[in-house]
Amino acid sequence: MNGLVAFIQQLFIWGYFLLVIGMAVRVIMRRLPVGVTLAWILVLIVFPYLGGALYLLFGERFLGVKRAQREARLRFVYLDSVPLSLPPIDWRRYHSAAEPLARLEAFVSGIDPVGGNRVQFIETAPAIIDALVQDINQAQSYCHIEFYIWQPGGATNKVVDALERAVERNVVVRIMLDAVGSSAFFGSKPYRRLTRIGVSIEKACPIGVIPWQLARYDLRNHRKSVIVDQRVAYMGSFNLVDPEFFKADAGVGQWIDVMARVEGPAVVQFDAVFRWYWQVECGTTLPDALPSAPAAAGSALLQVAPSGPDVAKESILNALLQAIYGAKVSVDIVTPYFVPGEALEHALKIAARRGVRVSVIVPEKVDSFLVRHASHSYFSSLLEAGVAIATYGKGLLHTKAVVVDDSLAFFGTVNLDLRSLWLNFEMTMIIYDAPTVQQLAKVLAAYRQDSSEVHIEQWRQRSALSRFIENIVHLVSPLI
């Protein structure tokens, strides 16, 4: 018996060393960012067997063989077919960082900036839902809808009713919802109502366990967009939920969101991205051809910037860094989940130290213990560098925006955490038009008035236990 126990102990010990060494080599050979690599190695050392399983499930951006093949084949089919006539852009009219930023994003995504657009920012859930219903009621050809979360019930039933009326007018409705985020919707009464009348509803990023299927639970489609007849597009942070009921028991208050309503040629680009991902997800060719591009509706120069694990690594992160390093006067950030990582942290600190006013607004309460403490672990170094941090107390501020010098902005679904920057399928609208950026800046200024500044002296007085928890969570923050 003693010999058997000793054998099992030796087997466990050798298994531990072989697993840690083997998985560590695999991690190192992936050439991930240093912080991410070290965090995974720490997890493998502390939890070797569990850590190895977690790495295989969550450590690599594996999209599945069949999906990757479809994506490679279709990536530019729709984007190249966008019927836009793009006049030369006089970049002297825009921020000095605008032209190199636009070139960088066009290199990554293949999508050029386009002018002639009009943007309206809608700031409350009732107003967003009413605007969606009004535009769906005017649909004549199709409605394309994409959300991370669609929670059935409440005010969202107005959208279901509008879609039913649209189908009665022979409008084609296609809906793409994240398989995990919208799991409550599938099988719900609204789902049955819509599928019964012929609405196509696809699960984005379905979970599979076999190699040719998407096998990572945390690679999610985090986009939120609606396109109606290529006449109007909506995009932003708002999930299709009724904030009065959504996560009401989470103790963080109602979720605060903004959606942008866009008219003009950029709508075609939003629609092209939807069509591209629809065909990647379901593998079927859409029957209707792209209609002609809409006429100019305003003067805003916009660039559609989809990001995700299927495009160049850190694509949206690099764009953000490019803009922050080009800031001259101010950088204003609003994000619900703030775990910036080393590159963004250094960019913000450098900007503050060279005299740029850097402001970060985050919710006072968030719905994740790990994210809350990981976020707090960055506060001290940022405050010491001169970055202003404020906490919003009137609900879970879910808007995601970065405004540079009140003349250049990022708006959409990207949180300033490594999950959004690396893993999720996201959608950003880069705004180069100063008057439109200033509209967004007013929204952020209103948030600031309802926020409390974090003072460095007070922050230093928090408990030793809080600091310890933050530092522990910081070690694995690259993985959150």
Side-chain angles (χ1 to χ4, degrees):
M1 178 64 77
N2 290 336
L4 178 61
V5 172
F7 174 77
I8 293 174
Q9 289 175 340
Q10 288 294 321
L11 187 64
F12 181 85
I13 292 171
W14 280 107
Y16 169 86
F17 281 112
L18 291 174
L19 181 62
V20 170
I21 292 171
M23 294 302 298
V25 169
R26 183 181 179 113
V27 172
I28 291 169
M29 293 305 294
R30 298 294 298 178
R31 288 184 61 86
L32 300 170
V34 174
V36 177
T37 299
L38 293 177
W40 274 119
I41 292 175
L42 176 64
V43 170
L44 291 169
I45 292 173
V46 177
F47 308 104
Y49 295 100
L50 176 61
L54 290 174
Y55 178 77
L56 292 175
L57 286 173
F58 304 116
E60 299 177 6
R61 302 194 293 185
F62 177 65
L63 296 173
V65 176
K66 287 187 176 180
R67 192 187 195 285
Q69 291 173 344
R70 287 200 302 269
E71 191 278 333
R73 185 175 69 253
L74 298 169
R75 177 171 176 78
F76 295 107
V77 169
Y78 287 108
L79 300 183
D80 285 349
S81 64
V82 173
L84 295 178
S85 177
L86 302 175
I89 298 170
D90 183 1
W91 288 108
R92 294 172 298 179
R93 298 173 49 202
Y94 301 99
H95 193 282
S96 59
E99 184 177 10
L101 173 60
R103 288 179 177 174
L104 173 64
E105 183 54 42
F107 176 83
V108 171
S109 68
I111 303 176
D112 291 309
V114 59
N117 304 285
R118 179 168 58 213
V119 181
Q120 174 191 5
F121 295 102
I122 309 175
E123 300 180 46
T124 67
I128 293 168
I129 290 175
D130 287 347
L132 284 172
V133 168
Q134 183 174 353
D135 279 315
I136 292 170
N137 284 341
Q138 297 177 28
Q140 298 178 357
S141 178
Y142 63 85
C143 297
H144 288 163
I145 298 172
E146 181 177 21
F147 282 101
Y148 173 58
I149 299 174
W150 186 334
Q151 184 189 50
T156 64
N157 287 337
K158 295 180 181 179
V159 177
V160 177
D161 295 340
L163 292 174
E164 285 187 329
R165 293 192 295 269
V167 171
E168 291 174 357
R169 302 192 305 272
N170 295 320
V171 172
V172 176
V173 178
R174 300 185 182 96
I175 301 173
M176 184 160 52
L177 305 175
D178 184 79
V180 174
S182 295
S183 58
F185 181 82
F186 297 104
S188 68
K189 184 177 179 181
Y191 174 83
R192 292 191 295 272
R193 285 173 59 189
L194 292 173
T195 54
R196 190 180 302 121
I197 60 175
V199 173
S200 299
I201 305 179
E202 290 290 332
K203 290 185 178 181
C205 301
I207 302 300
V209 295
I210 48 181
W212 54 87
Q213 297 291 334
L214 178 68
R216 279 193 59 171
Y217 180 88
D218 61 336
L219 292 182
R220 308 314 325 148
N221 186 337
H222 198 233
R223 296 170 182 165
K224 299 98 176 168
S225 62
V226 177
I227 303 99
V228 179
D229 292 344
Q230 285 191 337
R231 176 182 60 84
V232 61
Y234 289 80
M235 62 87 62
S237 65
F238 179 72
N239 289 296
L240 197 54
V241 303
D242 188 333
E244 187 174 345
F245 305 105
F246 182 64
K247 293 192 176 182
D249 57 351
V252 296
Q254 291 192 10
W255 291 43
I256 310 298
D257 286 289
V258 175
M259 286 292 267
R261 183 181 184 273
V262 182
E263 296 175 279
V267 175
V268 180
Q269 296 178 327
F270 284 112
D271 193 52
V273 173
F274 177 92
R275 291 169 178 270
W276 164 27
Y277 277 91
W278 177 274
Q279 188 159 340
V280 168
E281 289 290 357
C282 66
T284 59
T285 303
L286 296 183
D288 50 331
L290 289 167
S292 59
S299 60
L301 180 67
L302 308 176
Q303 191 168 22
V304 177
S307 59
D310 58 341
V311 297
K313 291 182 178 180
E314 310 102 31
S315 61
I316 195 64
L317 171 60
N318 289 336
L320 286 165
L321 292 172
Q322 173 82 12
I324 292 169
Y325 281 121
K328 299 175 181 178
V329 179
S330 61
V331 176
D332 293 292
I333 295 171
V334 169
T335 180
Y337 308 120
F338 181 69
V339 188
E342 292 182 6
L344 266 178
E345 179 190 18
H346 289 317
L348 295 174
K349 289 160 66 175
I350 289 170
R353 287 167 177 163
R354 60 185 172 83
V356 175
R357 178 185 59 78
V358 182
S359 168
V360 178
I361 303 175
V362 296
E364 182 179 314
K365 299 177 181 179
V366 295
D367 57 338
S368 169
F369 173 88
L370 289 177
V371 170
R372 179 169 69 253
H373 288 285
S375 179
H376 289 172
S377 72
Y378 287 90
F379 280 17
S380 292
S381 65
L382 290 170
L383 290 168
E384 290 168 0
V387 175
I389 301 176
T391 57
Y392 182 87
K394 289 192 172 183
L396 197 157
L397 183 58
H398 196 240
T399 302
K400 307 101 166 29
V402 177
V403 174
V404 175
D405 296 342
D406 282 353
S407 57
L408 177 66
F410 296 77
F411 175 80
T413 69
V414 176
N415 299 306
L416 288 196
D417 65 5
L418 297 181
R419 178 163 304 282
S420 274
L421 297 170
W422 273 74
L423 298 179
N424 288 339
F425 293 93
E426 306 280 2
M427 177 65 77
T428 301
M429 178 171 64
I430 304 176
I431 309 170
Y432 299 101
D433 175 61
T436 304
V437 173
Q438 287 158 16
Q439 293 179 39
L440 182 60
K442 289 180 181 179
V443 176
L444 272 57
Y447 293 151
R448 193 174 298 111
Q449 291 180 353
D450 291 327
S451 302
S452 301
E453 185 177 354
V454 177
H455 297 283
I456 189 166
E457 295 81 7
Q458 282 183 306
W459 188 250
R460 287 170 175 164
Q461 294 174 7
R462 69 197 188 285
S463 70
L465 178 61
S466 293
R467 293 197 297 271
F468 179 75
I469 294 173
E470 291 162 12
N471 290 336
I472 289 293
V473 176
H474 185 79
L475 295 175
V476 294
S477 63
L479 311 182
I480 295 176

